[in-house]
Amino acid sequence: MKHAIRLARRGSGRVSPNPRVGAVVVKGGSIVSTGFHRNFGGPHAEADALAGLEPSKSRGATLYVNLEPCVHHGKTPPCTDAIIRAGIGRVVAGIVDPHPLVSGRGIEKLRKHGILVTTGVCERSCIRLNEGFIKAATRHEPFVTLKIAQTLDGYIASGKGEPGWITGVSSRKRVHEMRRDHDAVLVGIGTVLADDPELTVRIAGGFPVKRMVLDSRLRIPLKSRLLNLPDARNTIIVTTNRASSRRIAEIKASGCQVWPVRSDSGRVHLPSLCRMCVENGIQSILVEGGSRVFSSFLRGGLADRIVCFIAPRIFGRGIPAFETQGMLGIAAAPQFRETAWKRAGCDMMFEGNL
């Protein structure tokens, strides 16, 4: 199962909104075939692993897969049919597929055809692999990760408009991997005005990530990098339903998308945006700033994970990672369910699930 999970990760950035899935066929104590879901619309992991496998090797073999095999027709035929035709004797699935079109039906069909099915193997790792897919299927919301880069004393910028990186090379490389593993990267208009970022994935592999900007008053300059990238369609400017139609037309002329969303005291209503994201196939969002945006997601109970890169630097004063207004206090402060600390070059990386 761990091998199946490793294979599944090779589909990162290529298969969404489908889940990442890997498959391993074992017979006589040896691996006879492997496969994974390589790209959206292509064969699923089970079909990839069974393709071209001789009947003598597939008949009576055990298939390990991190997610319950699908039982419905989509862009590809049901994987359960391929498993049954191949004569597989046992299927070990990491978790049951939470999608309403599957949700145990695949397991039921396999058992009806005399195939032994086991579930719950490496369950936590299998859930972690497809958190966005699972949350979108069960709660119709995207999985949201807040990515913070700060100094030892908690500042994400000096406040003086100075350009430059806070964290080191290893941390920045990890951030690009995180971007690749999410469907969209989101920042507030303040970050765009201060840094003029591109928000692209600068490592090999994966499809271009969606880039989202919260801009309730459409202040984004028409010359900003985000509006002038070759794949402009992947840039989404999120504004309110009170935005100027003239300004919307100007931004759309650059090839970018504009999403008018319900207004919440003049700001973008984040719960409405989250629902809109899932409706448009965005199941996971990496929020990269700034302070007000981090605070809004946290206060609204919309953040699922915080990843904080802490650099061994001290500013003394500057812009804090979270707004100081409306501090929650000890009793109401968010509690992390799982935490981990890792080294990232000269920095430390904190990761916690909310």
Side-chain angles (χ1 to χ4, degrees), residues 252-335:
K252 284 185 174 180
S254 68
C256 301
Q257 300 183 58
V258 178
W259 287 7
V261 177
R262 171 185 162 192
S263 175
D264 179 15
S265 301
R267 299 182 185 180
V268 170
H269 186 252
L270 293 180
S272 296
L273 171 60
C274 286
R275 287 192 293 272
M276 187 178 292
C277 283
V278 172
E279 290 168 2
N280 285 272
I282 296 174
Q283 299 177 340
S284 57
I285 302 174
L286 182 65
V287 179
E288 294 200 20
S291 177
R292 178 175 292 179
V293 176
F294 290 146
S295 300
S296 296
F297 273 96
L298 191 63
R299 290 196 194 108
L302 299 171
D304 298 286
R305 175 176 297 135
I306 293 179
V307 177
C308 184
F309 295 91
I310 304 172
R313 308 178 73 177
I314 295 175
F315 281 177
R317 64 174 60 186
I319 300 174
F322 294 95
E323 285 185 328
T324 55
Q325 295 179 0
M327 292 296 287
L328 297 174
I330 294 176
Q335 297 293 311

Side-chain angles (χ1 to χ4, degrees), residues 14-301:
R14 296 177 178 273
V15 302
S16 187
N18 284 351
R20 294 183 287 179
V21 183
V24 178
V25 182
V26 176
K27 189 170 184 179
S30 299
I31 293 176
V32 296
S33 182
T34 62
F36 66 97
H37 189 24
R38 299 169 186 271
N39 57 275
F40 179 70
H44 290 185
E46 301 92 324
D48 188 43
L50 295 171
L53 191 62
E54 297 177 6
S56 61
K57 292 184 178 180
S58 63
R59 195 173 296 115
T62 297
L63 172 69
Y64 292 84
V65 61
N66 57 285
L67 186 70
E68 174 188 3
C70 66
V71 71
H72 62 286
H73 283 271
K75 291 184 177 294
T76 60
C79 291
T80 49
D81 291 357
I83 293 169
I84 293 165
R85 283 196 306 269
I88 293 293
R90 182 187 180 210
V91 172
V92 180
I95 57 173
V96 174
D97 190 331
H99 197 284
L101 291 175
V102 187
S103 192
R105 294 183 180 92
I107 293 171
E108 182 182 2
K109 183 173 183 178
L110 294 174
R111 285 174 174 162
K112 282 183 177 179
H113 283 79
I115 298 173
L116 179 65
V117 181
T118 303
T119 62
V121 178
C122 297
E123 188 173 29
R124 182 65 198 128
S125 296
C126 292
I127 291 172
R128 178 70 183 262
L129 183 66
N130 284 304
E131 289 164 316
F133 172 78
I134 292 169
K135 189 178 179 186
T138 57
R139 294 172 52 183
H140 306 290
E141 297 175 353
F143 190 93
V144 176
T145 300
L146 309 185
K147 188 282 297 180
I148 301 166
Q150 67 172 53
T151 61
L152 193 60
D153 51 347
Y155 296 112
I156 59 175
S158 67
K160 299 179 180 180
E162 299 171 300
W165 300 101
I166 290 178
T167 53
V169 175
S170 296
S171 294
R172 298 200 295 273
K173 180 181 178 182
R174 177 63 185 128
V175 169
H176 283 283
E177 292 171 352
M178 292 171 67
R179 288 180 181 178
R180 178 199 60 196
D181 292 344
H182 287 74
D183 294 332
V185 178
L186 182 148
V187 297
I189 183 60
T191 297
V192 175
L193 295 176
D195 300 334
D196 193 19
E198 291 186 352
L199 303 181
T200 52
V201 178
R202 292 187 282 278
I203 55 174
F207 291 143
V209 69
K210 296 285 193 303
R211 303 170 294 268
M212 308 182 75
V213 180
L214 300 182
D215 187 3
S216 59
R217 289 184 285 161
L218 291 182
R219 293 186 290 153
I220 187 168
L222 296 180
K223 293 184 179 180
S224 66
R225 293 178 184 177
L226 283 169
L227 299 187
N228 292 279
L229 292 169
D231 60 333
R233 181 69 183 170
N234 285 317
T235 296
I236 303 168
I237 309 303
V238 184
T239 188
T240 69
N241 49 16
R242 300 178 180 179
S244 159
S245 57
R246 178 188 62 80
R247 188 65 174 147
I248 289 176
E250 290 176 346
I251 294 172
K252 284 185 174 180
S254 68
C256 301
Q257 300 183 58
V258 178
W259 287 7
V261 177
R262 171 185 162 192
S263 175
D264 179 15
S265 301
R267 299 182 185 180
V268 170
H269 186 252
L270 293 180
S272 296
L273 171 60
C274 286
R275 287 192 293 272
M276 187 178 292
C277 283
V278 172
E279 290 168 2
N280 285 272
I282 296 174
Q283 299 177 340
S284 57
I285 302 174
L286 182 65
V287 179
E288 294 200 20
S291 177
R292 178 175 292 179
V293 176
F294 290 146
S295 300
S296 296
F297 273 96
L298 191 63
R299 290 196 194 108

